[in-house]
């Protein structure tokens, strides 16, 4: 395991390999259905989600585009933009968007990258053992252009947009409140809407915790989000 980690670090130092959580999102200029865009500069000061697709006019991708659009206002309420991608030409994207509008009465408002393969290669979207198409990847990027989360799905499995929306809200809440987010928040099975207090770093703080917060033990304390 140690040798593998060492090799990965060497690759990263050489500037090779796909970006990882905590890295700056790679600078790139892309052609989209909204014209040429520079990433991550185009979304400076905002969160954004880049999500890839195996191709246009495919069943699962179509359902995903509709689902993302139906939640677009919720993402924007969180100061978060959306941008799609597939390795198809821009006129194919435009025709697909038109088809969605005509058949589902849903207008796709977010841009779609027309990739020639360069972006897919840079972001590690081709997983050879799953074929030559881009996998269903999701990159959550913060206002500073830092990659905060990466999700990968196989071509046959559609994404859960509500989970992606939850992740953006959870990241923002964690930053604002200086807390950690429990499983299935805000419906955690143990603490409900509670937010986890970072573990104590010294004995004095540990002894004070039970009197300051709700605790199961000194290392597992929380506060209710609405009483913060």
């Amino acid at each position: 395991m140690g040798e593998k980690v060492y090799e990965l670090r060497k690759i990263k130092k050489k500037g090779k390999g796909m970006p990882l959580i905590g890295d700056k999102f790679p600078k790139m200029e892309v052609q989209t259905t909204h014209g040429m865009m520079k990433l991550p500069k185009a979304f400076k000061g905002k969160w954004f989600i880049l999500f890839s697709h195996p191709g246009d006019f495919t069943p699962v991708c179509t359902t995903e585009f509709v689902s993302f659009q139906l939640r677009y206002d919720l993402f924007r309420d969180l100061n978060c933009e959306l941008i799609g991608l597939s390795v198809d030409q821009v006129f194919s994207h435009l025709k697909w968007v038109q088809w969605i509008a005509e058949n589902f009465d849903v207008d796709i408002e977010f841009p779609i990258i027309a990739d020639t393969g360069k972006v897919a290669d840079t972001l590690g979207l081709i997983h050879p053992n799953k074929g030559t198409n881009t996998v269903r990847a999701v990159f959550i990027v913060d206002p500073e252009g830092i990659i905060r989360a990466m999700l990968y799905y196989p071509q046959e499995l559609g994404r859960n947009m509500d989970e992606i929306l939850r992740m953006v809200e959870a990241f923002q809440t964690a930053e604002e409140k200086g807390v950690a987010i429990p499983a299935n928040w805000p419906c955690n099975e143990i603490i409900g809407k509670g937010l986890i207090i970072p573990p104590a770093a010294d004995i004095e703080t540990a002894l004070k915790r039970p009197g300051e917060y709700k605790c199961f033990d000194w290392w597992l304390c929380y506060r209710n989000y609405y009483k913060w």
Side-chain angles (χ1 to χ4, degrees):
M1 177 64 75
E3 291 181 358
K4 289 182 179 179
V5 171
Y6 176 70
E7 288 300 320
L8 285 173
R9 286 175 178 168
K10 285 202 301 182
I11 290 172
K12 288 296 291 179
K13 284 182 179 180
K14 292 178 181 178
K16 298 179 181 178
M18 66 183 189
L20 303 176
I21 292 173
D23 289 351
K24 280 277 190 179
F25 188 89
K27 292 181 180 179
M28 58 181 70
E29 187 168 8
V30 295
Q31 183 179 16
T32 80
T33 51
H34 290 192
M36 298 301 295
M37 297 179 69
K38 292 183 178 180
L39 300 179
K41 184 178 180 180
F43 299 119
K44 185 178 180 180
K46 295 184 177 183
W47 291 74
F48 75 90
I49 294 171
L50 187 150
F51 53 97
S52 64
H53 294 268
D56 296 348
F57 295 100
T58 52
V60 177
C61 298
T62 301
T63 63
E64 289 188 318
F65 262 58
V66 172
S67 293
F68 267 125
Q69 179 60 48
L70 292 177
R71 292 162 178 77
Y72 194 21
D73 285 343
L74 297 176
F75 280 105
R76 285 186 287 198
D77 286 344
L78 294 173
N79 191 36
C80 182
E81 289 293 332
L82 302 174
I83 182 167
L85 175 149
S86 76
V87 184
D88 277 305
Q89 297 183 42
V90 71
F91 68 80
S92 176
H93 292 347
L94 293 171
K95 184 60 180 178
W96 187 26
V97 166
Q98 181 186 33
W99 188 93
I100 290 173
E102 291 173 350
N103 287 272
F104 300 112
D105 197 27
V106 173
D107 293 319
I108 302 300
E109 299 176 83
F110 50 80
I112 310 166
I113 296 171
D115 186 24
T116 60
K118 185 177 180 180
V119 178
D121 183 57
T122 300
L123 297 179
L125 305 181
I126 305 296
H127 296 193
N129 288 332
K130 285 299 293 179
T132 58
N133 292 327
T134 55
V135 294
R136 300 181 192 284
V138 178
F139 293 83
I140 299 178
V141 185
D142 70 18
E144 301 302 319
I146 302 298
I147 297 172
R148 302 296 295 275
M150 299 161 60
L151 307 171
Y152 290 90
Y153 301 75
Q155 290 93 332
E156 66 271 19
L157 179 64
R159 286 161 277 213
N160 185 321
M161 309 326 177
D162 291 329
E163 167 60 6
I164 298 170
L165 188 65
R166 185 193 78 95
M167 290 176 69
V168 176
E169 183 176 4
F171 277 131
Q172 294 180 4
T173 300
E175 285 190 355
E176 180 185 354
K177 306 299 183 182
V179 295
I181 306 298
N184 296 325
W185 181 83
C187 301
N188 179 260
E189 294 82 354
I190 300 173
I191 62 177
K193 297 181 178 66
L195 300 171
I196 296 173
I197 305 301
D202 56 74
I203 293 176
E204 183 180 358
T205 303
L207 292 174
K208 291 180 179 179
R209 282 289 165 84
E212 295 176 334
Y213 307 105
K214 297 179 179 179
C215 297
F216 294 99
D217 207 329
W218 65 267
W219 54 270
L220 180 51
C221 300
Y222 68 98
R223 291 191 67 169
N224 190 289
Y225 176 69
Y226 297 106
K227 292 183 179 179
W228 200 274

